Amino acid sequence: MSLTEIKPGIRYVGVNDRKTTLFEGLWSLGRGVSYNAYLVIGEKIALIDTVEEGFGSELFDNIRREIGSRPIDYLIVNHMEPDHSSSMASLRQIYPNIEIVGNAKTIQMIRGYYSIEEGLKEIKEGETLDLGLGKVLSFHLIPMVHWPETMVTWCESEKTVFSGDAFGTFGALDGGITDEAHSFEDFREEMRRYYACIVGKYGAPVQKALAKLSKLDLGMICPTHGPVWQREIRQVIDLYDRMSRYEGEEGVVIAYGSMYGNTERMAEQIARELSANGIRNITVHNLSVADPSFVLRDIFRYNSLILGSPTYNGVLFPPVAALIEALVLRSIPQRHFAAFGSYTWANTATRCLNDFAARMKWNPVIPIGEMKQGFSETANGTAAHEIAEAIAACLKH
């Protein structure tokens, strides 16, 4: 029995990366990441996507293990991001007659990235490629999930979609390839974090892609990162549907910056007051030390956000400003929102937080508060109580 045959004629040839610490140079990889590639074997053979070039030799060894000296006839390029395409040039040297298949935008990027001009096959929406032995592939464009050339490949005989980055997660594969070998709970939050960081801006394109995929009788989803989904397809699609509609679960994220602890004390008091109001899902992030990917994950997860920032050099505290720009980039349409600005002599933070709410078209549930100089129960306890009560009222009603 092959350890890598996930359906008849479909073999997994991907690799684990347990060395890279920052995905895209930005997002932490505490559990590593997988780069998934697949062989579809009929009378002819198609390889679907490659891997990051530093792992190319491992990919080629995996391919030879599965097919020996047989040639690969086609490389299907679902997504051109280099963690999935940068082994392409080396693959062409090993299999000089391979035909590289992609849509018009893909072909343009192949030329731009790798200076490959020959042996390119352009396909359009719905076109098919017959590999023989019942293995027919069809191609369906899902632009801006999350690059403009992105597409999926469908193998109807095996009810399998090769989905590119859609439905992917952070986290290397510890043992098995499919979700039969893993708990979905082990990957749920990594999928949420991956979505929030990588795909989060593109909710509307994801919704269009889900509508297109809903017409397929899905029995297996093969993404380019994370487990192959067989058992948990419904949960995976439901999670993507909720995230791409920006639908938050009931709960509150409190994210703050603090130089000398006063803003932090206000944030902690608000959290305590929320708890006293019966709110249970409360997550507090000190933005000076928090991993930004986990902050974004939690903001996508929960439907309420409270921000706190001191004025710093006449603007927002830099970690708060960085989070705000990340949220603006992701165009989240609505959250129950409250905030407070702290200051010593110039209350710029409050104005900046109001400007942020206006940019997001969010209506604060209570006027954005002010905290002058040091925190005290007498001076600031009422404001913390009022912010917590206003957010709690939204969650309860």
Side-chain angles (χ1 to χ4, degrees):
M1 175 183 174
S2 170
L3 296 177
T4 58
E5 186 169 58
I6 51 180
K7 280 284 187 80
I10 299 178
R11 306 288 181 89
Y12 177 86
V13 289
V15 302
N16 280 320
D17 179 357
R18 304 184 193 275
K19 302 174 184 176
T20 301
T21 57
L22 291 176
F23 191 80
E24 297 185 333
L26 288 169
W27 315 114
S28 62
L29 291 175
R31 295 173 52 192
V33 68
S34 68
Y35 309 123
N36 299 341
Y38 307 89
L39 292 171
V40 183
I41 303 172
E43 293 170 342
K44 295 185 175 182
I45 297 175
L47 172 66
I48 299 183
D49 293 312
T50 68
V51 303
E52 201 280 329
E53 62 181 337
F55 296 84
S57 61
E58 187 176 346
L59 168 69
F60 305 145
D61 286 345
N62 292 346
I63 290 170
R64 284 188 285 265
R65 178 196 66 218
E66 299 299 331
I67 61 172
S69 60
R70 286 185 65 181
I72 298 176
D73 299 280
Y74 303 103
L75 169 63
I76 312 299
V77 184
N78 281 331
H79 182 30
M80 270 297 297
E81 205 165 2
D83 56 333
H84 307 300
S85 70
S86 57
S87 294
M88 184 185 301
S90 298
L91 182 76
R92 194 64 176 280
Q93 292 179 342
I94 297 171
Y95 301 100
N97 296 321
I98 196 170
E99 195 165 17
I100 301 175
V101 179
N103 59 66
K105 288 185 172 65
T106 302
I107 298 300
Q108 180 272 322
M109 290 184 185
I110 290 171
R111 291 176 173 138
Y113 268 104
Y114 307 118
S115 301
I116 295 174
E117 297 286 347
E118 303 297 327
L120 303 175
K121 178 180 176 64
E122 181 182 330
I123 55 87
K124 294 181 173 59
E125 171 70 31
E127 285 193 26
T128 61
L129 184 64
D130 191 345
L131 302 179
L133 301 180
K135 298 292 188 293
V136 178
L137 304 178
S138 64
F139 309 103
H140 306 275
L141 308 184
I142 55 168
M144 299 317 303
V145 185
H146 56 114
W147 277 26
E149 88 302 350
T150 305
M151 68 181 191
V152 302
T153 299
W154 169 242
C155 181
E156 185 171 9
S157 64
E158 304 307 326
K159 298 183 177 181
T160 295
V161 67
F162 301 91
S163 62
D165 274 352
F167 311 115
T169 82
F170 293 134
L173 299 179
D174 296 338
I177 296 162
T178 75
D179 58 0
E180 296 287 344
H182 304 277
S183 165
F184 183 57
E185 300 306 314
D186 291 343
F187 282 96
R188 182 195 303 274
E189 294 311 308
E190 287 295 78
M191 176 177 281
R192 202 188 303 269
R193 188 166 71 97
Y194 179 89
Y195 183 94
C197 296
I198 309 300
V199 191
K201 179 179 179 179
Y202 303 104
V206 170
Q207 281 289 301
K208 291 179 181 178
L210 290 173
K212 184 174 286 190
L213 293 176
S214 70
K215 300 172 184 177
L216 304 177
D217 182 17
L218 292 177
M220 185 164 75
I221 299 175
C222 295
T224 47
H225 299 292
V228 170
W229 303 112
Q230 293 177 332
R231 183 183 59 195
E232 306 293 356
I233 287 175
R234 178 44 50 198
Q235 287 203 70
V236 166
I237 290 176
D238 285 350
L239 183 57
Y240 250 66
D241 181 43
R242 291 198 304 273
M243 291 190 296
S244 59
R245 286 188 286 107
Y246 303 96
E247 179 184 297
E249 302 171 12
E250 183 177 298
V252 185
V253 176
I254 302 173
Y256 68 89
S258 189
M259 288 180 283
Y260 301 111
N262 292 293
T263 313
E264 181 172 50
R265 290 181 66 188
M266 181 73 160
E268 294 287 1
Q269 185 65 26
I270 293 169
R272 190 65 54 84
E273 294 279 354
L274 282 167
S275 181
N277 271 277
I279 305 304
R280 292 293 170 260
N281 295 324
I282 304 167
T283 302
V284 181
H285 289 290
N286 178 344
L287 296 177
S288 293
V289 297
D291 184 319
S293 67
F294 286 86
V295 180
L296 288 172
R297 178 201 67 185
D298 291 341
I299 292 171
F300 266 79
R301 178 173 184 177
Y302 293 121
N303 64 4
S304 303
L305 173 64
I306 301 172
L307 291 179
S309 177
T311 298
Y312 185 85
N313 282 342
V315 292
L316 286 172
F317 192 54
V320 180
L323 174 62
I324 279 176
E325 290 307 312
L327 295 177
V328 169
L329 179 66
R330 283 157 179 79
S331 304
I332 299 172
Q334 186 57 58
R335 285 294 182 265
H336 303 309
F337 179 64
F340 63 96
S342 60
Y343 67 104
T344 297
W345 73 89
N347 188 17
T348 311
T350 300
R351 176 177 57 78
C352 291
L353 291 166
N354 273 304
D355 289 346
F356 164 68
R359 290 172 72 187
M360 297 296 287
K361 299 181 180 179
W362 292 355
N363 294 316
V365 300
I366 187 172
I368 291 177
E370 300 179 1
M371 185 178 74
K372 186 174 183 179
Q373 296 163 8
F375 174 86
S376 73
E377 291 282 352
T378 303
N380 310 114
T382 299
H385 177 76
E386 289 173 349
I387 289 172
E389 278 207 326
I391 289 289
C394 292
L395 293 176
K396 292 175 180 178
H397 299 111

